[in-house]
């Protein structure tokens, strides 16, 4: 399953990490993390879940719907994710936002089927609110910094430390991640110094010209912290 320090690489819908390329990237991340003590998980697109899971890294879905088996066309069932080899799902990413009540239902359904929940939240107060739903992880990600290369851990460190404080006040067992602009090992190291237990990132690895170098850099940042 998932442990800390944790680096989650979200493949989003980037062409660079679609289909066979998703498997290739997962293999490089697996190799780069071996022996480091850092847990690296990946979040590929839904059609790639089963094949990427075969690489051996923990695999998260990018989204899940709070449904039970039945007549639901075009939705993503938690049980189907588990059958495909996923260990959990992202919930409420800024590119796929949900209402608080939907977040709570998603967390509950994931828990029912034995899957982990990684709930994204744009700011610390929302982190506090979703922590009461008892997810496994809360990831604070100011949307204005996502994909900018301007790491939240450096340009808005107070967001990370405040999110950690508020979440732990609600439930000390909920682990806190941060994302948005995380691009280098130094960004990761700073995030962990602020109290985060891992990071969520995407383009800095997926769109890098040298996947291995980018992977080793961010994983090294978590290892040194």
């Amino acid at each position: 399953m998932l442990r800390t320090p944790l680096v989650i690489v979200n493949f989003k819908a980037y062409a660079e990490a679609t289909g066979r390329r998703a498997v290739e990237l997962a293999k490089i991340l697996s190799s780069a993390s071996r022996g480091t003590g850092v847990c690296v998980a990946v979040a590929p697109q839904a059609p790639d879940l089963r094949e990427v899971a075969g690489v051996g890294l923990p695999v998260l879905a990018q989204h899940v719907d709070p449904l039970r088996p039945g007549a639901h066309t075009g939705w993503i069932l938690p049980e189907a994710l588990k059958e495909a080899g996923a260990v959990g799902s992202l919930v409420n990413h800024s590119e796929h936002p949900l209402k608080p009540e939907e977040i709570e239902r998603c967390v509950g359904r994931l828990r029912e089927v034995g899957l982990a929940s990684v709930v994204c939240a744009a700011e610390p107060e929302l982190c506090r609110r979703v922590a009461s739903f008892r997810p496994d992880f809360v990831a604070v990600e100011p949307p204005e910094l996502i994909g900018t290369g301007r790491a939240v851990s450096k340009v808005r460190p107070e967001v990370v430390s405040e999110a950690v404080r508020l979440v732990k006040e609600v439930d000390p067992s909920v682990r806190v991640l941060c994302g948005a602009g995380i691009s280098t090992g130094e960004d990761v190291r700073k995030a962990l110094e602020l109290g985060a237990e891992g990071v969520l990132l995407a383009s800095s690895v997926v769109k890098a010209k040298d996947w291995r170098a980018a992977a080793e850099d961010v994983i090294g940042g978590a290892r040194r912290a």
Side-chain angles (χ1 to χ4, degrees):
M1 292 293 286
L2 301 175
R3 53 180 172 77
T4 57
L6 174 63
V7 174
I8 299 175
V9 182
N10 181 6
F11 291 2
K12 299 196 175 183
Y14 289 131
E16 291 89 342
T18 296
R20 286 176 294 178
R21 296 281 282 167
V23 176
E24 292 173 16
L25 178 52
K27 288 179 178 178
I28 288 173
L29 288 163
S30 178
S31 175
S33 65
R34 197 167 296 129
T36 65
V38 177
C39 181
V40 176
V42 295
Q45 296 173 66
D48 298 328
L49 271 170
R50 186 177 298 274
E51 194 167 1
V52 172
V55 172
L57 287 176
V59 173
L60 297 164
Q62 296 180 7
H63 173 74
V64 67
D65 293 302
L67 306 173
R68 298 186 183 281
H72 309 292
T73 300
W75 300 80
I76 299 179
L77 186 69
E79 285 85 348
L81 296 179
K82 189 171 185 177
E83 286 287 337
V87 303
S89 181
L90 305 181
V91 177
N92 193 49
H93 191 279
S94 65
E95 294 159 358
H96 200 146
L98 301 174
K99 297 176 181 178
E101 57 270 24
E102 293 173 322
I103 297 171
E104 184 173 16
R105 292 202 303 271
C106 285
V107 170
R109 284 291 290 124
L110 289 166
R111 186 184 303 117
E112 283 179 13
V113 300
L115 294 177
S117 51
V118 181
V119 178
C120 301
E123 43 81 27
E125 277 299 324
L126 182 56
C127 290
R128 179 191 60 75
R129 182 172 183 181
V130 300
S132 67
F133 305 153
R134 297 190 300 116
D136 296 278
F137 296 87
V138 172
V140 62
E141 284 199 304
E144 67 274 12
L145 294 177
I146 292 176
T148 65
R150 299 174 60 240
V152 62
S153 57
K154 288 184 174 178
V155 302
R156 295 189 64 191
E158 71 283 355
V159 169
V160 181
S161 56
E162 181 70 355
V164 171
R165 183 182 70 81
L166 292 175
V167 168
K168 297 300 183 181
E169 284 181 356
V170 174
D171 188 339
S173 71
V174 176
R175 289 162 286 181
V176 183
L177 312 176
C178 76
I182 301 291
S183 302
T184 68
E186 178 63 20
D187 297 341
V188 177
R189 184 187 63 77
K190 181 62 175 175
L192 270 62
E193 287 179 354
L194 291 165
E197 295 164 87
V199 296
L200 178 60
L201 52 87
S203 59
S204 59
V205 170
V206 177
K207 298 178 78 68
K209 292 182 179 179
D210 186 334
W211 278 346
R212 178 167 290 276
E216 290 177 348
D217 184 23
V218 295
I219 293 169
R223 186 179 189 180
R224 291 192 299 270

